[in-house]
């Protein structure tokens, strides 16, 4: 059983490709033909990727996975197929999607998001020679499953430090997509980081929905409304962990000329958010693309990863994006974030995963 904790840096531009309906869900791309065989003995059609709620084009979580998918295809000269989710789909739909990929010869097959946990467990048992990956969940245990997870609380701590240093009102906000333990990690880290700067800072908190099925990760309008409410209460830096819904948070923050902090991908650099980028202070990064790429590489190399593979600040699995020149100009903010990062890496600060 192979375990690794270091993720590659996958910095690949994301392009939007026309969707064509297939089977269960929509296939965004299918660049495979016949099975390919590498010098290491790899034989397969390439990498199979099944997206989470919100799908490709969210400029965040799913697009980060797609970047790793593209990088693996290009560097290893393998094929690939990525499939979109359906609205209101069941676990059975996810099972069918993963089975479709595995049966067609794709290896590895990766479910993007914790919602794939039951499907990965079921399908991996049927296809023991295929390596499966699941992002953001570690409950599935099998020799052919890699649980690709992260210390999201660490990057969120850096977001909290940045917010507390950048606010002019000593009043900031957190907007989570869905009220679940995974997103609680983001909030816990953010709050701890902010309070490390000023224990008296005021922090607004809101979750958009109780379940993913209600659209918490896929409804920009919900994010926009939540941001408007927090700004009206006085918050002048907003951090979201809400997937596609976060686009609404960012657009509303920009319209009101207050800072937004993005998540998962460097949202300052995303083309669809270009008109708001001056107000994107930074982003709490999660190297989902690197995790996808590394799993594909391990399979191509004939040494498939399995077990829990966790990214942290030290390995580059999480981080804080500093692309915005306006952020770099805030030297006291940058210094505080850099110090907090080093303190976490050195073990001087342990970030909580719950409040």
């Amino acid at each position: 059983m192979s375990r690794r904790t270091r993720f590659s840096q996958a910095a690949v531009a994301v392009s939007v490709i026309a969707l064509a309906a297939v089977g269960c869900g929509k296939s965004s791309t299918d660049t495979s033909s016949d099975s390919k065989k590498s010098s290491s003995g790899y034989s397969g059609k390439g990498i199979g990727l099944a997206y989470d709620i919100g799908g490709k084009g969210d400029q965040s979580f799913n697009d980060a996975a797609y970047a790793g998918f593209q990088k693996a295809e290009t560097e290893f000269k393998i094929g690939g197929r990525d499939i979109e989710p359906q609205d209101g789909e069941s676990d059975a739909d996810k099972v069918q999607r993963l089975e479709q990929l595995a049966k067609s010869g794709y290896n590895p097959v990766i479910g993007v998001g914790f919602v794939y946990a039951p499907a990965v467990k079921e399908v991996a048992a049927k296809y023991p020679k295929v390596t499966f990956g699941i992002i953001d969940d570690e409950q599935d245990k099998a020799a052919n499953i890699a649980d690709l997870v992260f210390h999201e609380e660490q990057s969120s701590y850096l977001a909290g430090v940045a917010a507390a240093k950048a606010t002019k009102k000593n009043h900031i906000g957190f907007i989570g997509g869905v009220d679940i333990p995974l997103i609680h990690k983001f909030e816990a880290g953010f709050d701890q980081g902010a309070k490390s700067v000023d224990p008296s800072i005021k922090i607004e908190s809101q979750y958009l929905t109780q379940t993913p099925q209600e659209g918490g990760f896929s409804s920009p309008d919900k994010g926009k409304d939540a941001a408007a409410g927090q700004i009206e209460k006085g918050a002048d830096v907003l951090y979201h962990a809400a997937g596609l819904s976060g686009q609404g948070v960012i657009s509303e923050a920009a319209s009101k000329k207050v800072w937004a902090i993005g998540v998962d991908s460097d949202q300052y650099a995303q083309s669809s958010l270009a008109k708001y980028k001056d107000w994107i202070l930074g982003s709490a990064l999660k190297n989902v693309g690197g995790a996808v790429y590394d799993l594909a590489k391990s399979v191509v190399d004939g040494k498939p990863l399995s077990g829990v593979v966790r990214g942290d600040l030290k390995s580059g699995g999480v981080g804080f994006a500093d692309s915005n020149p306006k952020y770099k100009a805030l030297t006291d903010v940058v210094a505080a974030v850099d110090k907090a990062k080093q303190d976490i890496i050195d073990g001087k600060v342990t970030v909580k995963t719950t409040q």
Side-chain angles (χ1 to χ4, degrees), residues 49-340:
L49 195 69
Y51 291 114
D52 195 4
I53 296 166
K56 190 162 66 178
D58 65 355
Q59 305 294 315
S60 184
F61 182 65
N62 287 293
D63 281 355
Y66 178 59
F69 171 89
Q70 283 190 307
K71 183 179 173 70
E73 279 189 308
T74 301
E75 290 196 11
F76 309 136
K77 296 180 172 54
I78 59 176
R81 183 175 178 186
D82 58 330
I83 307 180
E84 297 281 353
Q86 293 177 314
D87 292 335
E89 67 181 22
S90 65
D91 282 344
D93 294 319
K94 294 180 179 63
V95 168
Q96 185 181 351
R97 182 174 307 127
L98 297 184
E99 273 203 274
Q100 184 180 31
L101 290 169
K103 188 175 181 179
S104 297
Y106 293 95
N107 188 18
V109 173
I110 302 173
V112 184
F114 66 89
V115 292
Y116 278 96
V120 167
K121 182 178 181 180
E122 180 175 335
V123 181
K126 297 178 182 178
Y127 295 87
K129 293 183 179 180
V130 175
T131 293
F132 290 81
I134 180 166
I135 297 170
D136 279 353
D137 189 88
E138 55 184 299
Q139 62 182 303
D140 290 342
K141 308 297 182 188
N144 62 329
I145 297 177
D147 298 311
L148 308 174
V149 291
F150 304 84
H151 280 293
E152 298 93 349
E153 72 279 2
Q154 293 182 350
S155 54
S156 296
Y157 183 99
L158 302 185
V161 170
K165 292 292 290 186
T167 180
K168 295 179 179 178
K169 298 182 178 180
N170 203 40
H171 193 168
I172 60 178
F174 171 81
I175 296 172
V178 181
D179 190 0
I180 52 175
L182 174 64
I183 306 304
H184 296 170
K185 289 175 67 180
F186 288 87
E187 182 182 14
F190 181 69
D191 284 7
Q192 186 181 346
K195 289 176 181 176
S196 75
V197 174
D198 184 350
S200 68
I201 193 167
K202 186 172 183 180
I203 305 174
E204 301 292 338
S205 177
Q206 182 175 347
Y207 287 88
L208 301 180
T209 64
Q210 293 298 305
T211 68
Q213 292 75 19
E214 295 171 282
F217 291 131
S218 57
S219 305
D221 58 325
K222 294 182 188 296
K224 183 179 177 68
D225 289 345
Q230 293 194 355
I231 293 168
E232 186 175 348
K233 290 178 181 177
D236 64 351
V237 185
L238 305 182
Y239 172 46
H240 84 85
L244 182 64
S245 300
Q247 292 190 19
V249 175
I250 291 171
S251 66
E252 182 64 16
S255 72
K256 297 299 193 301
K257 294 181 166 42
V258 303
W259 288 119
I261 297 177
V263 77
D264 293 341
S265 297
D266 181 357
Q267 298 202 286
Y268 175 85
Q270 300 299 328
S271 58
S272 72
L273 299 173
K275 59 183 165 181
Y276 313 122
K277 68 180 185 179
D278 285 349
W279 293 100
I280 300 176
L281 182 66
S283 297
L285 299 175
K286 184 159 71 173
N287 197 5
V288 174
V292 169
Y293 171 87
D294 278 356
L295 183 58
K297 184 178 188 301
S298 75
V299 174
V300 170
D301 288 346
K303 300 176 181 178
L305 292 170
S306 66
V308 175
V309 186
R310 189 181 302 277
D312 59 10
L313 279 176
K314 187 174 183 178
S315 70
V318 299
F320 191 78
D322 61 356
S323 302
N324 191 343
K326 291 185 176 180
Y327 169 78
K328 293 177 182 177
L330 300 172
T331 54
D332 59 332
V333 179
V334 174
V337 171
D338 287 347
K339 182 180 185 303

Side-chain angles (χ1 to χ4, degrees), residues 333-351:
V333 179
V334 174
V337 171
D338 287 347
K339 182 180 185 303
K341 177 180 178 180
Q342 196 59 51
D343 284 347
I344 293 171
I345 291 173
D346 291 344
K348 294 178 181 178
V349 172
T350 300
V351 187

